[in-house]
Amino acid sequence: MKFQKKNQYLYMALGHLGMILVGLGVMRMMSVINDSVGFAFTFFGFLLMNIYINDLEKKMGFSKKEKGAFTAVFITVFAALSLWLYVE
């Protein structure tokens, strides 16, 4: 695997990790503060950020299979950590 491709995977993983952290922050804010308006703003911001990152992934030339694998891992990790925060 070329160094450039490994570098792209690293940046893709960091982008998804950032989305996980922002999403968990939103979930934590909702459970502690219970601010529905703030939750709505951050939720829509999170969605817009997700759309932007997907567009960047297309421009970087990732295949649908690669994007699907990263998205599946992202959804699984985010769901597990969200559930853990909710139960705690």
Side-chain angles (χ1 to χ4, degrees), residues 8-64:
Q8 287 179 338
Y9 284 145
L10 173 67
Y11 290 131
M12 189 176 186
L14 289 176
H16 282 275
L17 179 64
M19 286 194 311
I20 287 173
L21 293 175
V22 169
L24 290 175
V26 169
M27 299 299 276
R28 177 75 176 163
M29 180 191 72
M30 190 62 191
S31 67
V32 172
I33 300 173
N34 201 12
D35 178 19
S36 59
V37 174
F39 176 75
F41 283 137
T42 52
F43 181 74
F44 287 120
F46 180 73
L47 288 178
L48 293 173
M49 185 176 61
N50 195 3
I51 291 168
Y52 178 70
I53 288 179
N54 283 334
D55 184 54
L56 288 178
E57 289 172 356
K58 284 181 192 174
K59 290 180 181 178
M60 289 179 75
F62 288 111
S63 69
K64 286 186 178 185

Side-chain angles (χ1 to χ4, degrees), residues 50-85:
N50 195 3
I51 291 168
Y52 178 70
I53 288 179
N54 283 334
D55 184 54
L56 288 178
E57 289 172 356
K58 284 181 192 174
K59 290 180 181 178
M60 289 179 75
F62 288 111
S63 69
K64 286 186 178 185
K65 184 178 179 182
E66 292 169 326
K67 289 191 318 185
F70 268 93
T71 301
V73 170
F74 166 73
I75 290 172
T76 304
V77 170
F78 183 71
L81 291 175
S82 295
L83 183 64
W84 177 69
L85 274 176

